[in-house]
Amino acid sequence: MENLISKAEIERDTAEMLIGNTFVGLLMTVFAFSGLVFFFESTTPAIQTQKTYVWGFVLVVVLARLTDALYWRFKLHGTQYNPTFPLFRFSIGLYVTGSLWALYSVLFYAHMTTIELAATMVVLSAMAGGAGTVLSPKKPLVTFYSTALLMPMSLCAIFHQQGDFYILGVLGIIFWFGIFSSAFRYHRFFINTLHLKASNNRLMEQMEVERTETQKINRLLVSTNEKLDSANANLESEVERRTAELFRLSNKDPLTNLLNRNGFLKLLNQQIQRTSTSDNSLALLFIDLDGFKQVNDSLGHKVGDIVLKEVARRLCAYCEEDHLGRWGGDEFVATIPYATVETAKTIACAIRNGITVPITAEDNHLSLDATIGIAICPEHANNALDLIQQADLTMYDRKRKQHGTVGVFNEALHDEIKRQQWLSESLKTAVTNGELCVFYQPIINVSTNQISSVEALLRWKCGDQFISPATFIPLAERGGLMPELGSWVLNRALIDLSHWQFDSKLCISVNVSVAQLLDDSFFKILDTALETTKIAPERLFLEITESVFASDTQLVVKQVQALVARGVKISIDDFGTGYSSLHRLQSMPFNFIKIDRSFVQNTSEESDTIIRATILMAKEFGCQTVAEGIETEQQRQHLSALGTDFLQGFYFAKPMPASHLSTWYNENK
Ligand code: C2E
Ligand code: MG
Ligand code: MG
């Protein structure tokens, strides 16, 4: 408790208590004094005069004390004043007042009447009693004042031999004791109260500090919360942004911004799910651009990219953008919910019309078309991969038959696809099962009219049916079997050639697919075959189709140059059906150009123009021409007249087994 309040604080509170009560005290003093002096008639006028002097003196003291109290009240009260001096002045005033009371008792006791004496005793006791409470904060003051008021009067009463007044004196002393003990109790109570007040104040201050602290913490919390909220919001938007970015990266095609394979498969699975639960139908369109590869090859990837973006943009006019995807290269896919076969066909035709409108890309006006395959869920398939495969195969089938058309999946196609799957499987074991053989077709030199070479053509007898190379070669290419099959043909052809005993040194043409040409083991197989059969490399002509130009040209050129370096001759097969750019042709060393039979068998003026141009170009490149597909005498004469160096066709001979060739040679040489 002691620590809670300083001495200065106790002093100030004491001053507040004592000086604050001065006004009432002074009023009481003036009333009491005036009453005693003027109410009772004095025994002599001289006594009265003395009393009046004392009263006057008291009045002066009261006025001085009042002035001091007023000064305190209006100047000091409520400020952080030093209580020492005001208290000192108050004490002096009180001592003087007390002394005047004592003086009054001593001076006038003997001259008081019985009534006056009793009244004085009562007044002094009352004043002392009041002072005992009011002055209790300061022990010396209460001691002095109550003693000054009661003791002189009580002692006078005891020792003045006048009747029974000593009783009053004894009572006065007892009363004085009583006042003391209660004044001291009040003092303790006052001090305790001060401590309590101080502790209360401390508590209040502490509470205030804590309240301020709490407010500060609250403000901090609020601002931290706000920051956290905004950080959270930022984080959320960042997470959203990244999620969207991740979605875009994993589900969108960066070039066209359409769904990529992954994204489209997800979409298709969802749509199939919805379709099956709602008992509806869903059409899937597989769209393949016609002519894109040529654009890409001849005008470069930049133009190709512009075309793809433009096609994607146009597709959005016919299907929901979210329902469109880029399957790869120049292939697009689209879903049309609730579509019947008829509506799907109508939309597919509209898409084709949209794509055929010429596209302008870097000053080039490009006309493209699209071949579209349609499959319907659940009619044709009820899972995403099957549906896509069927639409893809339908597109592929249409493309084989006629570019720029729309086809719908059907059971016949399904059977064909099944058959192709079966053939693909069977082809894997065709070599080991001995189902393959090589047929040879003579190639005639126009100037000598003699056979100069034979073309080795692969044959496959699967069970009891012959499968056309036009069927199984693409299957083998797709199934990655060409390197194996091609090696087998190359070996077989060179072995057969090494066995033939013809007058002249016959040459042999062997078809080589791109996959075979680019296969790592190709040169090893070739070198071994040439070495074991002792065939001079100059007698081997390797036929590569124009399609090689669609592959990695640099690598193809490198491989072809390695072949040429060995002395092997190169033929460009089916010339005119692909889209070889002259630039690429120039970079490729070759010895023969084989004019495709579609030109040979076409009697139009345009075909002749193409053939003449090809022959002219071949001469420029320093190579010779072979016309394929000669079936009639007329064609033979015509192509000879046009200036072709070699002729090949059913007119001379159909492809035949190795064993028949000697007979044919002997009959026709
Ligand atoms: P190609 O290399 O252009 O072979 C010529 C094709 O034309 C052969 O068809 C041949 O039988 C056919 N032909 C020849 N003269 C005539 C004619 O006067 N009229 C008609 N209508 N056709 C004629 P085939 O044997 O069916 O081969 C088709 C294609 O399959 C070949 O075309 C070639 O690209 C590919 N091929 C065949 N065997 C092999 C092979 O061992 N390896 C590779 N990579 N491809 C092969
Ligand atoms: Mg060929
Ligand atoms: Mg050909």
Side-chain angles (χ1 to χ4, degrees):
M1 273 278 225
E2 287 305 312
N3 299 342
L4 287 175
I5 185 161
S6 70
K7 212 164 163 214
E9 279 177 299
I10 295 178
E11 284 283 280
R12 185 172 296 112
D13 283 331
T14 307
E16 294 279 317
M17 176 85 174
L18 296 177
I19 308 172
N21 286 324
T22 309
F23 304 101
V24 182
L26 291 177
L27 202 67
M28 297 292 294
T29 306
V30 172
F31 275 128
F33 226 104
S34 303
L36 291 176
V37 171
F38 300 109
F39 191 75
F40 300 99
E41 202 177 322
S42 300
T43 46
T44 63
I47 295 292
Q48 187 60 42
T49 311
Q50 283 172 19
K51 276 188 182 174
T52 310
Y53 280 134
V54 175
W55 176 82
F57 201 69
V58 166
L59 216 62
V60 170
V61 172
V62 165
L63 276 174
R65 289 183 64 196
L66 183 66
T67 313
D68 188 43
L70 286 171
Y71 171 77
W72 170 87
R73 177 68 185 81
F74 293 108
K75 280 285 177 191
L76 304 178
H77 182 65
T79 67
Q80 285 293 315
Y81 65 95
N82 182 350
T84 313
F85 290 108
L87 263 181
F88 178 72
R89 288 196 299 277
F90 175 83
S91 304
I92 297 295
L94 195 90
Y95 285 136
V96 175
T97 313
S99 303
L100 286 172
W101 276 117
L103 188 71
Y104 182 86
S105 305
V106 173
L107 282 181
F108 304 112
Y109 179 81
H111 308 287
M112 288 180 199
T113 61
T114 312
I115 300 289
E116 186 185 355
L117 201 137
T120 306
M121 202 66 181
V122 169
V123 167
L124 288 176
S125 300
M127 294 283 287
T133 317
V134 175
L135 300 176
S136 63
K138 216 126 180 89
K139 275 187 189 169
L141 289 185
V142 76
T143 310
F144 176 81
Y145 197 70
S146 53
T147 308
L149 256 65
L150 284 177
M151 268 310 172
M153 194 65 184
S154 301
L155 290 175
C156 284
I158 291 168
F159 296 111
H160 210 273
Q161 313 282 303
Q162 204 179 34
D164 293 330
F165 279 128
Y166 76 93
I167 296 291
L168 273 179
V170 172
L171 279 175
I173 286 171
I174 293 170
F175 193 51
W176 178 78
F177 269 117
I179 288 169
F180 258 103
S181 64
S182 65
F184 282 17
R185 261 205 322 279
Y186 280 138
H187 178 78
R188 263 203 313 280
F189 178 71
F190 173 72
I191 295 295
N192 282 345
T193 310
L194 287 189
H195 279 294
L196 273 174
K197 188 184 138 206
S199 107
N200 205 30
N201 283 347
R202 294 281 185 286
L203 275 172
M204 292 300 280
E205 276 167 21
Q206 208 174 327
M207 272 170 68
E208 185 58 30
V209 167
E210 278 173 10
R211 202 168 63 91
T212 326
E213 276 300 303
T214 313
Q215 278 175 348
K216 232 196 271 175
I217 291 170
N218 266 350
R219 273 199 299 275
L220 211 75
L221 271 173
V222 168
S223 85
T224 314
N225 260 354
E226 278 167 4
K227 276 184 200 154
L228 263 174
D229 279 352
S230 84
N232 262 352
N234 279 349
L235 210 73
E236 267 173 35
S237 69
E238 181 62 17
V239 168
E240 265 172 35
R241 197 186 64 73
R242 291 204 180 171
T243 312
E245 181 66 11
L246 273 178
F247 176 83
R248 199 183 62 72
L249 284 176
S250 61
N251 295 287
K252 291 264 177 147
D253 167 51
L255 179 69
T256 58
N257 208 32
L258 298 182
L259 293 171
N260 59 16
R261 273 187 189 220
N262 185 35
F264 188 80
L265 275 173
K266 279 187 206 162
L267 165 89
L268 188 58
N269 276 319
Q270 286 166 6
Q271 288 188 330
I272 288 175
Q273 180 81 27
R274 269 200 295 272
T275 305
S276 65
T277 48
S278 61
D279 211 15
N280 269 308
S281 61
L282 172 82
L284 179 86
L285 271 55
F286 201 102
I287 306 156
D288 188 279
L289 299 184
D290 297 323
F292 175 76
K293 213 175 270 305
Q294 294 82 279
V295 169
N296 213 27
D297 287 352
S298 54
L299 299 173
H301 288 275
K302 203 170 161 206
V303 173
D305 285 355
I306 296 173
V307 169
L308 288 174
K309 273 201 257 188
E310 176 58 19
V311 169
R313 197 188 65 75
R314 290 186 187 181
L315 288 176
C316 293
Y318 306 97
C319 313
E320 298 251 354
E321 190 176 343
D322 293 351
H323 295 174
L324 276 164
R326 183 174 170 211
W327 195 246
D330 59 352
E331 296 165 340
F332 294 87
V333 274
T335 56
I336 306 166
Y338 311 111
T340 60
V341 170
E342 285 316 309
T343 45
K345 267 162 87 175
T346 312
I347 292 171
C349 290
I351 287 175
R352 263 202 61 219
N353 289 337
I355 290 173
T356 49
V357 176
I359 296 171
T360 308
E362 300 211 319
D363 298 335
N364 301 290
H365 298 286
L366 308 162
S367 294
L368 274 81
D369 204 335
T371 305
I372 303 175
I374 300 170
I376 307 282
C377 168
E379 196 182 325
H380 299 141
N382 53 11
N383 73 74
L385 286 176
D386 283 355
L387 200 65
I388 290 175
Q389 192 193 32
Q390 288 171 348
D392 179 17
L393 289 169
T394 310
M395 181 282 296
Y396 181 74
D397 178 62
R398 289 308 318 153
K399 204 153 211 168
R400 261 191 325 181
K401 289 170 183 154
Q402 196 183 348
H403 283 212
T405 49
V406 172
V408 180
F409 180 79
N410 57 51
E411 278 313 310
L413 193 64
H414 178 78
D415 293 345
E416 195 181 321
I417 291 160
K418 282 272 166 236
R419 184 178 138 79
Q420 286 196 355
Q421 281 171 345
W422 176 77
L423 284 176
S424 293
E425 280 305 306
S426 309
L427 196 56
K428 286 179 189 161
T429 51
V431 175
T432 47
N433 288 352
E435 293 168 4
L436 298 176
C437 67
V438 179
F439 275 28
Y440 298 94
Q441 186 178 32
I443 296 173
I444 313 298
N445 187 329
V446 174
S447 51
T448 60
N449 214 17
Q450 290 292 310
I451 175 172
S452 66
S453 60
V454 287
E455 179 174 2
L457 294 160
L458 183 58
R459 293 291 176 263
W460 178 27
K461 192 174 179 208
C462 180
D464 53 1
Q465 49 178 320
F466 276 103
I467 314 293
S468 160
T471 304
F472 74 80
I473 295 286
L475 285 182
E477 266 164 1
R478 266 190 272 161
L481 295 171
M482 268 330 276
E484 189 195 342
L485 295 188
S487 302
W488 185 84
V489 174
L490 186 66
N491 270 309
R492 187 70 259 158
L494 289 178
I495 292 168
D496 285 345
L497 181 65
S498 68
H499 290 166
W500 288 324
Q501 305 288 328
F502 298 127
D503 300 346
S504 59
K505 283 260 179 212
L506 207 61
C507 295
I508 197 156
S509 267
V510 178
N511 294 285
V512 174
S513 74
V514 189
Q516 188 187 353
L517 183 68
L518 300 181
D519 192 67
D520 291 339
S521 58
F522 176 63
F523 283 106
K524 202 168 165 232
I525 290 163
L526 174 71
D527 292 340
T528 317
L530 286 170
E531 215 175 284
T532 49
T533 54
K534 305 273 184 292
I535 302 278
E538 297 74 33
R539 292 176 68 197
L540 175 64
F541 305 164
L542 292 184
E543 294 191 7
I544 50 178
T545 54
E546 262 191 303
S547 61
V548 293
F549 294 108
S551 312
D552 184 344
T553 326
Q554 276 187 345
L555 192 59
V556 171
V557 170
K558 202 178 124 231
Q559 297 290 87
V560 171
Q561 278 167 345
L563 287 174
V564 173
R566 281 170 169 76
V568 173
K569 300 220 165 91
I570 306 295
S571 286
I572 306 287
D573 204 355
D574 304 341
F575 190 80
T577 55
Y579 300 86
S580 31
S581 72
L582 286 178
H583 169 71
R584 285 184 182 169
L585 263 186
Q586 200 183 17
S587 60
M588 180 87 77
F590 58 94
N591 310 88
F592 303 98
I593 289 180
K594 293 189 81 172
I595 301 166
D596 192 70
R597 73 163 181 270
S598 55
F599 300 106
V600 172
Q601 292 172 353
N602 192 324
T603 50
S604 72
E605 192 52 42
E606 289 81 36
S607 278
D608 278 2
T609 312
I610 292 171
I611 294 168
R612 274 196 209 95
T614 309
I615 294 169
L616 206 67
M617 191 185 69
K619 287 212 168 80
E620 284 297 312
F621 279 117
C623 66
Q624 295 180 299
T625 46
V626 183
E628 296 182 301
I630 305 289
E631 288 186 0
T632 61
E633 168 60 20
Q634 196 187 358
Q635 286 166 353
R636 185 193 71 79
Q637 282 181 11
H638 185 55
L639 268 295
S640 302
L642 284 173
T644 334
D645 301 300
F646 300 94
L647 300 173
Q648 174 184 2
F650 292 171
Y651 175 74
F652 303 104
K654 287 195 169 178
M656 61 193 90
S659 53
H660 293 196
L661 193 69
S662 324
T663 325
W664 180 88
Y665 180 81
N666 290 328
E667 282 171 5
N668 293 278
K669 65 182 177 182

